[in-house]
Amino acid sequence: MSVSPAAVAASNPVARPPAPNPTATSTPTQADLLDFVRRTAADVDLIASLPLDPEGRTWVRLEGPGGSEAWLIGWPPGTGTGWHDHADSVGAFVTAAGELKENALAVRLPADGWKTLELTDGVDRERRLPAGKGRSFGRHHVHEVLNESSHQHAISVHAYYPPLPRIRRFSRSGPILRLEQVERPEDWQ
């Protein structure tokens, strides 16, 4: 389920992120994005305003710093993103409620021109991100984000710069990573 940002903003005036930081007129860095998602995740009224669906993720688009793209996302128990990257965008995310798990690859993948890669040993990383914890990441960062709870929703705040030009989705079987799909903004907005 997706929630129209305009509908939420019109019906709930709290659905706005905290005031932008002073770097809003320049290109935001990973540190700027992480600062923004941390401050936004601490906005109790905003977090409480997100409608939660028992079966599907919900999201509301936010205004990020310096023209970045930002999202408030609700994660029902047992949901996740699957393996993906954010192309040429850098990003950051913070768990605002509940706990998320991030599985990531500690290797930079080629930007384009491949369909199947064999990963070497030792590239897998796992992070548990309870409320208040998050991270930033660089371009072509491949990861999956999961709410492994069997009973509790999680809520997180994400920001990307430049705004996402595409998301590449992957499947993984052991060490084999396969490019399955490329999504463009019109596919998720």
Side-chain angles (χ1 to χ4, degrees):
M1 170 185 169
S2 81
V3 177
S4 161
V8 171
S11 66
N12 188 350
V14 229
R16 291 182 176 74
N21 70 29
T23 63
T25 57
S26 62
T27 299
T29 64
Q30 285 177 237
D32 295 330
L33 296 176
L34 186 57
D35 178 62
F36 169 81
V37 296
R38 281 184 176 144
R39 287 183 295 109
T40 304
D43 183 335
V44 177
D45 291 335
L46 175 64
I47 302 310
S49 75
L50 181 66
L52 300 176
D53 183 288
E55 295 178 18
R57 286 190 298 154
T58 54
W59 54 86
V60 174
R61 184 152 184 186
L62 305 172
E63 291 297 321
S68 63
E69 179 174 344
W71 297 90
L72 178 62
I73 301 176
W75 306 76
T79 59
T81 61
W83 289 96
H84 67 283
D85 76 359
H86 304 100
D88 292 318
S89 297
V90 298
F93 70 101
V94 167
T95 304
E99 179 178 275
L100 293 173
K101 175 184 168 187
E102 180 196 35
N103 294 318
L105 300 178
V107 62
R108 184 177 170 121
L109 299 179
D112 289 303
W114 64 276
K115 293 281 186 188
T116 303
L117 290 176
E118 185 170 354
L119 302 170
T120 60
D121 289 339
V123 299
D124 289 295
R125 300 292 183 267
E126 177 184 307
R127 287 180 178 84
R128 297 254 173 219
L129 302 166
K133 299 293 181 186
R135 66 166 313 210
S136 64
F137 52 85
R139 291 168 169 75
H140 305 289
H141 174 71
V142 177
H143 68 165
E144 67 175 348
V145 180
L146 308 160
N147 177 4
E148 293 186 321
S149 173
S150 61
H151 62 281
Q152 182 181 14
H153 268 77
I155 299 174
S156 57
V157 180
H158 303 246
Y160 311 98
Y161 188 86
L164 296 172
R166 63 185 175 152
I167 293 176
R168 296 185 302 178
R169 299 222 174 254
F170 307 101
S171 64
R172 180 153 182 210
S173 178
I176 305 300
L177 189 70
R178 286 185 178 81
L179 176 63
E180 297 291 344
Q181 179 180 3
V182 177
E183 296 177 1
R184 307 250 181 254
E186 56 272 14
D187 296 325
W188 64 81
Q189 293 182 7

